[in-house]
Structure formats: structure tokens, C-alpha cells
Amino acid sequence: MPNWLFILVNVCVAAFVGGITNHFAIKMLFHPREEKILLGRRLPFTPGLIPKRKEEIAESLGHVVSDYLVTSEGLQELIRKPVFRAKMEDTLHRKLVEWSQSERSLGDLALKVWSPEQWEQVKVRAEQSARSLTAQGASAIWHGYELGAKPLKVLVPGWSEETIEGWSRAATDMVLKELGSTLLSAKGQLMLSDVASSLIDKAGGFLGTMASIFVDEDKLIQKLTPMLIQQLEGDQVRKTITDIISGKLSYYGDMPLGEVIEHATGEPGLTWIERTLDDKLPWAKWIQQIENLRVADVIGTRMPAIEAALPGLLDKALGFLERGVPVVMKAVNLPQLVQEQVQKFPVERLEEVILSVSGREFRAITWLGVLLGGMIGLFQSMLTLLWR
């Protein structure tokens, strides 16, 4: 065999061996993806390196990401950068300007986030939460301040004998004035007419018959009304009513608030308060009104104040976010999260990603094997020829 042919064959064989060796070495990173069994024994180098060490790679990658790539310190440094703050402020300002000119309602904005069914559920939960918080607040105040066990006179500011007397006189004046107005009204006159008829009917016998014949009810009422008004304006009636009201106030003043409410309503004090708040506070109506508010009406008129307060609010928000980063990172448990995501990632897809990024380098490694193999074959051929 001529020397040149001998050298050419050796170089080609060595280059082929070098190239095919590197090619299979790269392939063995991903293939085979499952272990192969022959005669009950696992074949060496199966599965490939990455499928075999996938869990270890995922765990190591999780620690690398959390310890070096996405760290609390790095995120806090990003938040502190003026560029990040300026970008956030610009984004918020543009969004506020857009909203201040929007014709959409708050409900329309909510439907950008939730579906109609989900939004209805959100409103129901919001109403339930509001009612629950109201009841919890009432219960906390009731038990926290021991309102049920405290006498009414302790809870009412300025409670004293003089105050009771003043309240009683004011209440008496109000009652007597209302009674006088009622007696002089058409309804009051009709009531007096019914009373007169009832008295005549109850008289019975000869006197009752004579009274029904000779007594004129209208004239009787005309004479009776001034007499009743005069009696109502008398000191004796006024004093009697004042004493009754004053006695009742003193009686209820010494009674615990819980007993006062239970005596007046027939149910425990806290239960009555919670039920009353639940009945009287129209949460559903308020939520509906909030939902129908136009975004422009909410923001537009307040835009100058919002713009003036925006830098301070953004500083506080970014400060709160910066302080909360370590807590959030700890709660997220980034190493475990990355590990779980890498474990779920298909090896086939991982191979595609790596080859799409490093395919050119892998081909260069294959051709480098060809080059090195060819050089080794040439060197080996030269040594063989010199040895001869």
C-alpha cells in the first residue's frame, strides 16, 4: 500500500472514530431515556445522564436559582433602583390617566378579571364577609368592654339625678304636647266621640236611655275637649307623668345594659344588636352602588390629589414590598418550587431547549472530535512510517 494511501486511510478512520465518539457522547446525555434490561441486568449507561440524574439536577438547580440567581437581596436591590421606581410611577400614572377618562364602571373593570359567575360569587362573599366582620366587631366591643354587665347609667354620658329630672320634664312636655295635639285633631275628636258613645252605651237602664235621647255627643265633645286640655296642662298631671318617667329612668339606669335590651326586646342584648345590624345595614345595596360607579367619577375629580399623593404612596408601597420580599421568598420556598417544576419538565422538551440554544456548540464539538481524530491518525501514521 502506498504511503499516502496508508496515511489517508488512517486519518479518515481516526477522524470518523473521533467524530462518532463525540456524537454518541452528546447523545448519551439524553438517550436512552429509560433504563434497558438485558438478561435481567441493567445495561451500563442506561438511562442517559440527564434522565438518570434528573431529580439530582432539579434539586441542585433549585438551590442554584434560590442561592445565586433569584435571591431576596437581589430582588430588594431591584426594587431600590431608581429606574425601577421611575418605571413603576410612569406605568401607574398612565393607567390612572386612562381610568380617569374611562366610561366603564367598577363592575366592568371587575369583569376584566372575573367571569360574570365568578363576579357574582365575589359579591356574595364580600357581602357575607362584611356582615361577618360587622357581627365580629359588635361582639368584640360587647365582650371587650363588658357592655352587657355595665349599668345603663355608667354608659350614658352625664347621667345624674339632675339629668334624669331634666330628661323627665322634657319627655313630659313632649308627651303632653303630643296628647294635646292629638285631642284637637280630627283623629282625636273621633276617638273622643267613640269614648262618649261607649260611656252612654255602658250606662244602660233608664239613665242610659235618657242619656242617649237628651245628650248631644258633639256638644259633649266640645265641652269635654277643653276640660281634658286644661287637665293635661295642670301641674298635677305634669308632676305625675314626670315622676313616672323619672322613676322608670332611675330603675333602668341601675340595670345592666344586657338586661335593659332583653327587657325591651325579649332577646339577649348581643343577639339583638347583631340582628339589628344585619337587618339595618344594606350591604347588598351598597355593593351594587359601588359596582355601578363610573371609574371616571371615582378618579377623575380626585386626579390632582391622587397625582400629588402618588410618589409618597409609591414609596410606601415599594418599602412595604421590599420588607416583604424575604417573607414571600420563604413562603414560596423557591428551591422546592424550582425542583418540582424541573421534575415535571419532560426530558424531550429539555433536549429540544438545550439543542436549540447549544446545537451549534454541540456540532462544533462533534467536528472537533473529527479534527482531533484526524490529527491523531496522521500522527500515528507518521510514527508508523518512521518506525518502519
Side-chain angles (χ1 to χ4, degrees):
M1 179 184 293
N3 290 342
W4 65 270
L5 183 59
F6 175 75
I7 294 174
L8 180 61
V9 170
N10 278 348
V11 169
C12 290
V13 171
F16 176 77
V17 171
I20 200 71
T21 301
N22 282 10
H23 175 74
F24 279 111
I26 294 171
K27 285 293 183 182
M28 288 175 65
L29 292 173
F30 305 97
H31 300 273
R33 296 193 173 98
E34 298 177 355
E35 63 179 22
K36 304 299 180 181
I37 305 298
L38 181 62
L39 301 177
R41 299 180 65 86
R42 182 179 64 86
L43 291 178
F45 307 110
T46 63
L49 177 62
I50 291 180
K52 184 178 181 179
R53 303 293 184 183
K54 186 177 179 181
E55 292 187 3
E56 298 176 16
I57 293 173
E59 182 179 358
S60 177
L61 187 61
H63 288 295
V64 169
V65 170
S66 62
D67 294 342
Y68 300 102
L69 300 181
V70 184
T71 63
S72 299
E73 293 78 9
L75 292 176
Q76 288 175 322
E77 184 179 354
L78 173 65
I79 294 173
R80 286 193 293 266
K81 287 183 178 179
V83 176
F84 178 81
R85 185 191 182 285
K87 187 174 181 180
M88 288 290 296
E89 185 172 356
D90 181 63
T91 302
L92 289 174
H93 184 268
R94 284 190 287 106
K95 185 60 68 174
L96 285 172
V97 171
E98 177 186 344
W99 285 348
S100 67
Q101 300 171 354
S102 175
E103 294 297 324
R104 292 178 295 180
S105 66
L106 294 178
D108 295 333
L109 289 184
L111 292 176
K112 296 287 185 181
V113 181
W114 298 288
S115 66
E117 295 78 12
Q118 291 173 332
W119 175 232
E120 290 299 324
Q121 293 176 0
V122 169
K123 291 193 293 184
V124 170
R125 289 197 296 269
E127 181 181 354
Q128 292 174 346
S129 298
R131 294 186 183 280
S132 176
L133 288 174
T134 303
Q136 292 175 8
S139 178
I141 295 174
W142 182 268
H143 294 296
Y145 291 95
E146 298 181 349
L147 297 181
K150 291 184 177 180
L152 183 62
K153 64 182 181 182
V154 175
L155 299 173
V156 177
W159 189 284
S160 64
E161 294 297 331
E162 293 78 9
T163 306
I164 292 175
E165 188 67 25
W167 290 343
S168 301
R169 286 196 298 267
T172 300
D173 292 338
M174 187 181 303
V175 169
L176 294 177
K177 183 178 179 181
E178 188 64 28
L179 282 175
S181 300
T182 302
L183 289 176
L184 293 174
S185 66
K187 184 178 179 181
Q189 294 296 296
L190 181 61
M191 179 187 68
L192 290 177
S193 177
D194 293 339
V195 171
S197 298
S198 177
L199 289 175
I200 293 173
D201 292 340
K202 288 182 179 180
F206 177 76
L207 291 178
T209 303
M210 296 299 292
S212 61
I213 294 174
F214 295 105
V215 175
D216 187 346
E217 291 183 6
D218 293 336
K219 292 183 178 180
L220 178 62
I221 293 171
Q222 291 177 2
K223 293 181 178 180
L224 187 60
T225 300
M227 293 175 57
L228 291 175
I229 296 296
Q230 185 178 4
Q231 290 296 319
L232 291 176
E233 294 176 351
D235 294 337
Q236 186 61 38
V237 173
R238 182 178 298 276
K239 184 177 184 306
T240 301
I241 296 177
T242 301
D243 291 342
I244 292 173
I245 296 176
S246 178
K248 287 295 182 181
L249 286 176
S250 299
Y251 172 74
Y252 286 117
D254 294 328
M255 187 182 296
L257 178 61
E259 294 184 16
V260 173
I261 297 177
E262 186 170 0
H263 186 271
T265 63
E267 57 185 324
L270 180 58
T271 303
W272 177 81
I273 291 175
E274 292 176 344
R275 181 181 59 78
T276 303
L277 290 174
D278 190 62
D279 293 340
K280 298 298 183 182
L281 296 180
W283 289 111
K285 179 180 178 181
W286 291 343
I287 292 174
Q288 185 67 37
Q289 291 175 347
I290 294 173
E291 180 186 16
N292 294 332
L293 286 175
R294 291 173 60 249
V295 179
D297 294 337
V298 177
I299 297 179
T301 57
R302 300 174 178 83
M303 193 64 184
I306 295 175
E307 289 180 335
L310 183 60
L313 294 175
L314 185 60
D315 287 338
K316 292 181 179 179
L318 292 178
F320 176 78
L321 181 62
E322 181 181 346
R323 292 189 298 272
V325 164
V327 179
V328 173
M329 292 289 288
K330 185 177 180 180
V332 169
N333 195 0
L334 188 59
Q336 183 177 354
L337 179 62
V338 173
Q339 180 179 348
E340 291 175 354
Q341 294 303 313
V342 172
Q343 288 176 346
K344 294 178 183 177
F345 204 71
V347 178
E348 297 85 351
R349 180 60 182 155
L350 182 62
E351 181 181 4
E352 292 178 7
V353 172
I354 294 177
L355 290 179
S356 66
V357 175
S358 305
R360 182 179 299 178
E361 286 74 12
F362 283 158
R363 288 192 294 272
I365 292 173
T366 302
W367 285 109
L368 180 61
V370 172
L371 177 62
L372 291 177
M375 293 177 62
I376 292 172
L378 177 62
F379 181 71
Q380 182 180 3
S381 301
M382 296 299 295
L383 285 178
T384 302
L385 291 175
L386 289 175
W387 183 260
R388 289 178 182 176

